[in-house]
Amino acid sequence: MGFTILGTGSALPKRRVSNDELSEFLDTSDEWIFTRTGIKSRHVCTTESLDDLAVAASEQALQTSGVDASQLDLIVCSTTTGDHLVPAEACAVAERLGATCPAFDVSAACAGFVFALDVAEGYIARGRARRVLIVAAEQMTRALDWTDRATCVLFGDGAGAAVIEAGGENPLAVELSTSPDAETLRVPGLAGSSPYKTAQDRESVLSMNGRRVFKFGVNAICDMVHKLASDASIAVEDIDHFVFHQANERILSQAVKRLGVPDDCVVRTLRETGNISSACIPFALDRLARTNALNAGDTIALVGFGAGLDVGGYLLRWK
Ligand SMILES: CC(C)(COP(=O)(O)OP(=O)(O)OC[C@H]1O[C@@H](n2cnc3c(N)ncnc32)[C@H](O)[C@@H]1OP(=O)(O)O)[C@@H](O)C(=O)NCCC(=O)NCCS
């Protein structure tokens, strides 16, 4: 049994931080950041918690879908930067929405929303759920080394959500893959204070080989789009919209060039938000929906990639 996307939602923290503001305490500039990444600003949590963002995006998605929280059969949250390791972020969302369905998290870094969608689809296919809320929420600013100009300028905070319902022709195609590599992009976990631990834990901040991720990202997008099109027996040119992970404008423009698709079919939100990890895709999808750019029957390719190294792709038809 397939599914339909009923509606989407998104949320950003209020505080917007421009590149110029970063250059007040980092050896960087708006010129460097914008030309190398396409990012002009990012939104950062100040008084907001991640729970607040996740709930705001979820409420909007429920409202757009005309679904009440009590009608949900499952909540899946994608995050790697939750307010708490336990309970799952999805449980906090369920509590604040007043939902009583099962709720748990999926961790697949920047590809997390696509992996969470696949989990949700599985519940629907097995007849275990009819309506599912999938929310991706990330507070990347808590995982950054704010003295490292090579990483902290790239990320921001935000959330995006979608409600899906059993019935419909989705997915037209789906592909998930992992090229195991624990070093290229990494955030170490809790250090803890076990008296038995002898090895030194690394500080819990993000480290990354930017050039390796860049190359991986361009290849991941192009390979995935070709696979999705081939699995669905359509041509790449027949895909109406591309919602790719928003890591770097240069990754997007190289992918556009290689795929030979029209530039304006590729959604861009990173100029305003930076990389909000797994929230990028549902955030961009919501933007697309809210600007009335989506028509019934349109095909949309979602491609997420990131730490893992994980890649997830979905080819969908809009309701
Ligand atoms: C991070 C990234 C923007 C760096 O761009 P780049 O063109 O590869 O730049 P380099 O890392 O080669 O650095 C070039 C120079 O700029 C400097 N630099 C790095 N960050 C800087 C900043 N914010 N401001 C000014 N200079 C900076 C470097 O120190 C280096 O200086 P040097 O030549 O004196 O050593 C780019 O590699 C990238 O976007 N990669 C993908 C990252 C990503 O998407 N991660 C998340 C995936 S989910």
Side-chain angles (χ1 to χ4, degrees):
M1 181 194 291
F3 68 86
T4 306
I5 298 182
L6 292 181
T8 57
S10 61
L12 290 174
K14 282 197 188 68
R15 176 77 161 93
R16 175 184 170 275
V17 176
S18 68
N19 292 341
D20 284 332
E21 283 179 85
L22 295 183
S23 66
E24 288 167 15
F25 63 91
L26 281 172
D27 181 13
T28 190
S29 64
D30 174 53
E31 201 267 333
W32 193 97
I33 300 171
F34 186 62
T35 54
R36 299 282 179 130
T37 70
I39 297 166
K40 272 282 179 192
S41 64
R42 68 288 297 141
H43 287 249
V44 305
C45 287
T46 52
T47 55
E48 304 92 344
S49 64
L50 192 69
D51 290 353
D52 292 338
L53 294 184
V55 169
S58 300
E59 283 176 339
Q60 208 178 60
L62 286 169
Q63 195 187 19
T64 316
S65 307
V67 169
D68 188 81
S70 62
Q71 297 173 298
L72 291 171
D73 302 309
L74 180 70
I75 299 176
V76 187
C77 179
S78 161
T79 189
T80 48
T81 50
D83 287 330
H84 27 81
L85 292 176
V86 176
E89 189 65 36
C91 300
V93 172
E95 185 176 20
R96 291 212 3 214
L97 293 178
T100 53
C101 58
F104 60 87
D105 290 355
V106 162
S107 166
C110 297
F113 179 79
V114 182
F115 279 64
L117 185 57
D118 188 55
V119 171
E121 186 204 325
Y123 270 75
I124 286 176
R126 287 182 286 127
R128 298 278 293 276
R130 271 195 65 72
R131 292 192 191 90
V132 185
L133 167 68
I134 305 131
V135 53
E138 303 282 4
Q139 192 172 340
M140 292 305 289
T141 55
R142 66 164 34 125
L144 299 172
D145 173 356
W146 285 92
T147 64
D148 177 15
R149 66 180 183 172
T151 53
C152 76
V153 304
L154 304 173
F155 296 91
D157 303 330
V163 176
I164 66 171
E165 184 177 58
E169 59 181 309
N170 288 312
L172 303 181
V174 56
E175 290 272 348
L176 305 181
S177 74
T178 299
S179 308
D181 172 351
E183 285 304 318
T184 291
L185 183 43
R186 181 183 178 93
V187 182
L190 291 176
S193 57
S194 163
Y196 303 104
K197 191 78 193 276
T198 50
Q200 182 92 38
D201 280 312
R202 284 202 253 167
E203 205 188 345
S204 188
V205 291
L206 183 145
S207 61
M208 174 181 75
N209 180 329
R211 287 194 173 185
R212 202 174 299 164
V213 179
F214 193 105
K215 267 193 210 148
F216 177 78
V218 177
N219 289 332
I221 290 174
C222 296
D223 293 350
M224 183 57 81
V225 168
H226 283 295
K227 261 190 218 148
L228 292 174
S230 150
D231 290 356
S233 303
I234 63 169
V236 169
E237 303 84 70
D238 294 333
I239 302 174
D240 299 302
H241 309 274
F242 298 91
V243 182
F244 300 143
H245 177 50
Q246 307 281 305
N248 186 315
E249 170 54 35
R250 289 187 299 141
I251 294 180
L252 298 179
S253 50
Q254 285 194 19
V256 165
K257 209 163 141 197
R258 251 212 247 166
L259 288 168
V261 297
D263 194 60
D264 59 1
C265 293
V266 178
V267 189
R268 264 86 164 197
T269 51
L270 87 168
R271 184 186 166 107
E272 177 197 350
T273 64
N275 181 346
I276 50 176
S277 189
S278 70
C280 285
I281 287 181
F283 184 89
L285 186 62
D286 185 54
R287 275 292 162 89
L288 204 55
R290 272 170 215 285
T291 50
N292 294 324
L294 295 174
N295 298 307
D298 279 359
T299 45
I300 311 168
L302 314 182
V303 183
F305 64 87
L309 299 167
D310 282 342
V311 187
Y314 254 86
L315 188 64
L316 299 169
R317 189 166 319 273
W318 193 243
K319 62 197 169 193

